[in-house]
Amino acid sequence: MSGTIVALATPTGRSGIGVVRLSGPDSLAITRAMVGDSEFTTEPRTAHLRPLGDPLTDEIVDEAIVTYFKAPHSFTGDDVVEISCHGSPVILRQVIDICLAQGARMAAAGEFTLRALANGRMNLTEAEAIRDLIEAQTAASARQAVRQMRGELSLQLQPLKDDLLNVIVVLESAIEFVEDDLPKLQLEQLQASLHRITTETRRLADTFKAGHLIREGLKVALVGRPNAGKSSLFNSLLGTDRAIVTDIAGTTRDQLYERFTVDDVPILLIDTAGLQETTDTVESIGVERSRATIADADIVVVVVDASESVTREVREIIESVQNINHIVALNKTDKISLDAVAEIRSDITNANGETTVAVSALTGSGLEDLKKAILAPFLAIDVSIAGFMVTDARHRDLLLRAETEMTQSSEHLNQRLSEEIVLLGLHNALRYLGEITGETTTEDVLTRIFSTFCIGK
Ligand code: GDP
């Protein structure tokens, strides 16, 4: 954790500029060696254009904008130097190599943020929010990450922790000073407080359902018989010609993946190879993959050619996804009359109480209904609500654990069990709430969390 670390802070590849970031006590000394000026710079947070060279060979490798952030007023809380080079992977590699030769070491994943945490520049949820912000797939999930980064989760947790601590203090002093049991009135007050804290903890945990949807989105798999129009539907949902469409059955031998967004929810759309029995080796591998994809999908869209009669094979496909969230898209409805659509719809619906949506990949009709139907099973909570949401499974898990402990303690209190037993649960609950923001997080947990960051963050 100590020493001076260096990493590329911008993505690898060619770009206008690429930023190399140094953090640690030797950042300025290393920079001075590179710019060949032992006096450089006493002026923090100002940009300086300087030649960058290799002190060992005196060769100039680039001209760059160098900015020094003096500890503790930097992202990490250490001395930090950001070097904005020209965005050539060769130059950036050279600059990093010079920093390494001058005594820096490569930063581990998330190490810059970990330092910021260690130096008290932010708490754990704020650090996690930076990761989530960088990885956000939609504007909505970025918005939630920004709220968390600005401390909103900590802010919501603080009064809960304060109130819980108050309950604990009252009970602790009951042990210390009172010979008899707690008076009835005080007991009722404690119960009321506990109830309030528990309910609010639960409410926060429950926002995860929508929060998770916004952050992780849904995996949606298209399945169906060859030529039902899966690839056409894939393309028209995305609004591009991504998948190859032919009237030769079995052309989609491997799966295609693309992302798009519906009502702020990121969707990973997968065009599967179909589920038909086959003797062709390549096609059968595709079919195998389709099965795995279906098992892993949040929702499956069974694409049915509505212009043909419903065959046994179609019924079997629908049968095979009964245990998974699914809907049936009646495709090619441009080819048939409204009466015929109604007929096939009632035929399929009657069998299993299916949700059906009439569409045409060709004309685009019904696509909006299909998108709505894909989201419908997940929208028990309105995802566009303006409130703050818990988006991290770790946070939800800790909130639920705290809730369980508090509920149990409240029951123990009711049963007039000893204060020690009641307190045990309440202390656990407080620790769980503290783990969310990192006050009581163990080193192991921190290592695990920061391994999900990328290098340079
Ligand atoms: P897949 O094998 O299920 O991926 O099916 P494709 O998307 O390759 O489509 C098979 C054939 O059906 C192609 O000739 C498409 O042009 C045609 N097709 C797909 N969707 C529609 C539709 O909504 N209406 C009409 N009329 N034809 C369609």
Side-chain angles (χ1 to χ4, degrees):
M1 269 297 289
S2 60
T4 299
I5 52 174
V6 64
L8 185 64
T10 44
T12 44
R14 287 169 211 288
S15 51
I17 53 174
V19 179
V20 173
R21 183 158 58 173
L22 282 157
S23 174
D26 297 332
S27 299
L28 197 54
I30 293 170
T31 308
R32 284 175 171 161
M34 266 194 298
V35 301
D37 176 358
S38 60
E39 304 283 291
F40 178 86
T41 167
T42 52
E43 212 184 334
R45 292 198 261 186
T46 49
H48 302 268
L49 179 65
R50 285 287 184 284
L52 289 185
D54 186 342
L56 299 178
T57 60
D58 280 341
E59 188 192 347
I60 300 295
V61 294
D62 194 10
E63 241 183 21
I65 300 284
V66 183
T67 317
Y68 166 52
F69 301 86
K70 189 173 164 52
H73 304 291
S74 70
F75 174 70
T76 60
D78 293 341
D79 263 0
V80 166
V81 176
E82 285 181 7
I83 307 170
S84 303
C85 307
H86 291 101
S88 144
V90 184
I91 289 171
L92 294 165
R93 183 69 246 174
Q94 277 178 320
V95 172
I96 289 174
D97 283 343
I98 295 169
C99 293
L100 295 176
Q102 293 296 315
R105 69 172 169 78
M106 270 321 277
E111 198 171 353
F112 289 93
T113 318
L114 188 55
R115 284 194 173 191
L117 187 77
N119 289 330
R121 300 290 290 166
M122 61 184 73
N123 69 31
L124 186 54
T125 51
E126 289 156 17
E128 287 172 311
I130 293 180
R131 172 201 58 197
D132 295 350
L133 182 60
I134 291 168
E135 286 173 8
Q137 296 176 42
T138 62
S141 65
R143 226 168 11 244
Q144 286 297 328
V146 167
R147 293 177 75 155
Q148 188 175 320
M149 185 177 72
R150 294 175 57 84
E152 209 164 320
L153 181 55
S154 329
L155 221 65
Q156 302 223 3
L157 287 174
Q158 199 52 51
L160 299 182
K161 287 189 287 190
D162 290 346
D163 290 353
L164 182 55
L165 200 59
N166 281 339
V167 173
I168 289 175
V169 168
V170 172
L171 282 169
E172 295 275 11
S173 52
I175 299 177
E176 303 244 335
F177 304 115
V178 185
E179 293 290 312
D180 308 315
D181 284 345
L182 279 169
K184 192 162 175 290
L185 182 67
Q186 203 170 18
L187 196 68
E188 278 170 7
Q189 281 170 348
L190 284 183
Q191 284 289 26
S193 299
L194 260 184
H195 181 71
R196 215 180 38 247
I197 307 164
T198 312
T199 311
E200 180 56 16
T201 305
R202 178 76 206 194
R203 189 198 64 75
L204 261 180
D206 283 346
T207 61
F208 178 76
K209 215 170 169 183
H212 181 69
L213 192 61
I214 276 189
R215 180 172 140 177
E216 300 295 331
L218 297 176
K219 265 189 212 150
V220 180
L222 301 179
V223 302
R225 290 196 56 231
N227 269 344
K230 295 181 293 299
S231 301
S232 306
L233 206 52
F234 182 84
N235 287 338
S236 50
L237 281 170
L238 294 170
T240 62
D241 271 347
R242 174 73 173 79
I244 300 169
V245 174
T246 68
D247 49 11
I248 309 162
T251 35
T252 309
R253 292 189 162 193
D254 207 351
Q255 320 199 44
L256 289 176
Y257 298 79
E258 281 297 332
R259 290 184 188 281
F260 70 112
T261 305
V262 180
D263 290 349
D264 283 342
V265 177
I267 302 233
L268 179 65
L269 187 64
I270 309 161
D271 182 9
T272 68
L275 291 168
Q276 62 286 0
E277 293 297 324
T278 175
T279 47
D280 178 305
T281 324
V282 178
E283 204 179 342
S284 71
I285 293 172
V287 170
E288 216 24 68
R289 286 201 186 144
S290 301
R291 288 190 208 287
T293 302
I294 290 168
D296 193 35
D298 294 298
I299 185 163
V300 170
V301 178
V302 182
V303 184
V304 174
D305 184 342
S307 67
E308 291 180 343
S309 55
V310 183
T311 60
R312 192 170 58 87
E313 199 187 345
V314 168
R315 290 188 205 282
E316 278 173 8
I317 293 176
I318 298 176
E319 200 59 48
S320 72
V321 293
Q322 285 307 307
N323 295 329
I324 307 167
N325 257 325
H326 69 279
I327 51 177
V328 179
L330 303 171
N331 190 32
K332 307 196 190 181
T333 49
D334 56 286
K335 282 168 98 176
I336 57 173
S337 69
L338 285 177
D339 284 348
V341 173
E343 201 172 308
I344 186 168
R345 176 174 262 162
S346 82
D347 185 7
I348 287 180
T349 312
N350 284 346
N352 281 312
E354 299 294 330
T355 304
T356 56
V357 185
V359 298
S360 164
L362 189 73
T363 66
S365 83
L367 287 185
E368 289 310 312
D369 294 338
L370 180 60
K371 290 178 188 173
K372 281 203 185 80
I374 289 172
L375 287 190
F378 305 94
L379 291 189
I381 302 172
D382 180 4
V383 284
S384 56
I385 48 174
F388 175 77
M389 294 174 218
V390 170
T391 55
D392 194 318
R394 189 184 76 84
H395 301 164
R396 189 208 31 179
D397 180 48
L398 288 164
L399 286 165
L400 290 181
R401 283 200 222 184
E403 186 214 355
T404 308
E405 293 284 353
M406 290 188 287
T407 309
Q408 242 168 32
S409 283
S410 161
E411 277 163 20
H412 290 160
L413 201 59
N414 253 350
Q415 297 159 3
R416 299 296 183 117
L417 295 188
S418 80
E419 276 93 4
E420 278 91 346
I421 295 181
V422 178
L423 276 165
L424 194 68
L426 297 185
H427 276 293
N428 283 341
L430 192 62
R431 200 183 60 240
Y432 290 140
L433 293 179
E435 264 185 50
I436 297 176
T437 41
E439 290 146 44
T440 51
T441 311
T442 61
E443 201 60 36
D444 286 1
V445 176
L446 280 184
T447 312
R448 212 160 358 113
I449 294 169
F450 279 89
S451 68
T452 62
F453 280 63
C454 38
I455 308 279
K457 304 294 174 313

